[in-house]
Amino acid sequence: MAGRPKAELVLADDERVELERLARRPKTAQAIALRARIVLRCAEGLDNTVVAKVLGVSKPTVGKWRRRFVERRLDGLLDEPRPGVPRTVTDDRVEEVVRLTLESKPENATHWSTRSMAARVGLSQTTVSRIWRAFQLQPHRTKTFKISEDPYFVEKVRDVVGLYLDPPERALVFCVDEKSQVQALDRSQPLLPLEPGRPERRTHDYFRHGTTSLFAALNVATGEVVGKCHRRHRHQEFLKFLRHLDATVPREEGTEIHLVMDNYATHKTPAVKRWFARHPEYVVHFTPTGASWLNQVERFFAEITTKRIRRSAFRSLPALERAIREYLDAHNESPKPFQWTADADNILRRVASVCERISDSGH
């Protein structure tokens, strides 16, 4: 036959087992898996041209890994050491940076920066930054949390989450709350619009033109929102909103309406209790104290704040209320429900893990 002779490739039993494992193991690097498949095909006696066509690679690639395997067996499939400057930061130095970041603070600050840590351990700021990225350490960031102290926390979580994941038949579920004290703010100078290479700019100071409160009820099944703005935030306004909700929501006779609400005093006044007593089709479910994140309408409040209110300028309170009504109308033209995925057991496990971490903190 014409051409250079191919190196003979014969596999031992243990080599075949290892190559098959590398070729089919999901977590194997795809480059190693491909090399293992090339060797296995070559061991079947196939020509390099045939192997290249079957696996979709070039002939030189097949010849390279056939030759490497014959010369060095399984070790030949690994990448050779690449040229470059030898590593200068040892594992002990990396461990020191990680340990200090997690277990200590600088004397004159609440958290480490890359430069203060670099000065502390004698490395460059760039090296510290690379180590932090590798271990996903972000000392400059912080988040908030709150553990509910409600004695019926577990029961209320199971009750509310059960409504989301498995609502009763022939029933409507609404999440009800108020976004209070929404300010009509007008910037002291005109906004500078978005430009290539420059974000939108606005002044840091502003003029206040009053506040309003948005009362809203989110339909968990459809994502539609029934909303109403009131200038004051009392139980009288909450009763007006309940009457508006009752008149707005279409339903068949005998349909139950479940309301998820927080423990705000406005929701528990004698007048409100009498209204619910006169409307037995309404079933109230209270979220645990300090756990308003269980109320899905809070997610809607976050969206309207981000998309319509925060970056706008309102020269009057009616202008703000008009913008809120327009947003509600646009939202209800094509509503999308929020998808609640966490079951009660998952939520309680996560809360329990946080409680374990702070149990000896002295709080």
Side-chain angles (χ1 to χ4, degrees):
M1 297 179 61
R4 290 179 295 179
K6 299 188 297 293
E8 185 179 3
L9 197 157
V10 179
L11 296 178
D13 292 340
D14 57 337
E15 291 176 332
R16 183 179 296 277
V17 170
E18 179 64 16
L19 288 170
E20 290 176 348
R21 185 186 69 81
L22 293 174
R24 66 172 180 266
R25 186 166 176 256
K27 293 186 179 180
T28 301
Q30 290 306 301
I32 301 296
L34 176 60
R35 297 164 194 174
R37 287 192 287 270
I38 290 174
V39 173
L40 287 171
R41 292 287 186 172
C42 291
E44 295 174 2
L46 299 178
D47 186 78
N48 287 3
T49 304
V50 177
V51 174
K53 184 176 181 180
V54 170
L55 297 180
V57 297
S58 64
K59 283 178 59 179
T61 298
V62 176
K64 171 184 176 180
W65 295 112
R66 175 196 286 268
R67 182 173 62 257
R68 286 271 294 268
F69 184 83
V70 170
E71 294 173 355
R72 288 181 265 174
R73 312 310 292 179
L74 289 171
D75 291 340
L77 301 185
L78 303 177
D79 290 320
E80 295 179 339
R82 298 183 182 274
V85 179
R87 179 183 175 189
T88 58
V89 181
T90 64
D91 290 343
D92 291 339
R93 301 300 301 279
V94 173
E95 180 183 356
E96 181 185 12
V97 172
V98 174
R99 179 180 57 79
L100 289 174
T101 305
L102 295 176
E103 300 178 3
S104 67
K105 294 181 179 180
E107 294 181 358
N108 59 344
T110 59
H111 59 278
W112 292 101
S113 67
T114 53
R115 288 171 174 79
S116 62
M117 178 59 72
R120 171 68 174 78
V121 298
L123 297 173
S124 69
Q125 179 265 342
T126 305
T127 300
V128 173
S129 180
R130 285 201 301 265
I131 294 173
W132 280 359
R133 285 198 300 270
F135 287 87
Q136 298 182 0
L137 296 174
Q138 299 175 327
H140 63 287
R141 297 187 61 191
T142 181
K143 291 185 176 182
T144 59
F145 79 98
K146 180 177 177 60
I147 299 297
S148 173
E149 298 179 359
D150 194 314
Y152 299 103
F153 177 78
V154 175
E155 292 81 358
K156 290 180 178 180
V157 167
R158 295 193 182 280
D159 179 35
V160 173
V161 174
L163 276 179
Y164 295 158
L165 299 180
D166 188 20
E169 295 183 3
R170 292 178 53 81
L172 299 174
V173 180
F174 285 90
C175 292
V176 178
D177 204 358
E178 309 89 22
K179 182 174 178 60
S180 60
Q181 301 295 308
V182 185
Q183 299 185 80
L185 302 180
D186 185 20
R187 298 293 160 179
S188 60
Q189 297 175 7
L191 295 173
L192 297 179
L194 175 71
E195 298 177 359
R198 284 187 177 181
E200 178 185 275
R201 288 166 290 168
R202 55 183 176 171
T203 61
H204 68 280
D205 53 345
Y206 47 80
F207 301 113
R208 291 189 178 95
H209 297 292
T211 62
T212 188
S213 293
L214 171 60
F215 292 74
L218 169 71
N219 189 324
V220 172
T222 65
E224 293 179 296
V225 177
V226 178
K228 199 77 172 176
C229 288
H230 291 284
R231 300 290 175 88
R232 303 185 69 178
H233 186 201
R234 305 170 301 170
H235 78 274
Q236 292 93 330
E237 285 72 32
F238 183 60
L239 281 173
K240 291 179 183 178
F241 176 70
L242 288 177
R243 298 187 191 104
H244 174 69
L245 177 65
D246 186 58
T248 303
V249 176
R251 57 188 182 277
E252 300 176 358
E253 186 177 353
T255 300
E256 285 188 343
I257 301 179
H258 296 260
L259 301 184
V260 178
M261 305 189 302
D262 61 21
N263 293 272
Y264 190 61
T266 301
H267 303 158
K268 296 182 176 182
T269 62
V272 172
K273 291 180 180 178
R274 287 194 297 269
W275 190 91
F276 282 121
R278 293 193 301 268
H279 297 78
E281 68 274 20
Y282 284 84
V283 183
V284 178
H285 305 260
F286 288 107
T287 60
T289 304
S292 60
W293 46 267
L294 271 177
N295 196 329
Q296 289 194 38
V297 76
E298 297 289 350
R299 189 69 202 94
F300 172 78
F301 288 155
E303 283 197 353
I304 191 174
T305 301
T306 302
K307 296 180 179 180
R308 187 63 185 92
I309 298 176
R310 180 174 295 155
R311 290 174 56 174
S312 297
F314 303 103
R315 295 185 174 181
S316 66
L317 193 54
L320 169 62
E321 294 175 336
R322 184 169 57 253
I324 292 175
R325 288 194 298 269
E326 291 173 352
Y327 183 90
L328 288 171
D329 293 339
H331 172 85
N332 288 331
E333 287 179 1
S334 56
K336 293 182 180 179
F338 297 113
Q339 299 298 319
W340 190 276
T341 58
D343 59 26
D345 290 336
N346 186 27
I347 293 173
L348 295 174
R349 279 196 299 270
R350 295 184 65 180
V351 172
S353 66
V354 175
C355 291
E356 290 177 359
R357 296 182 63 184
I358 65 175
S359 60
D360 296 327
S361 64
H363 291 277

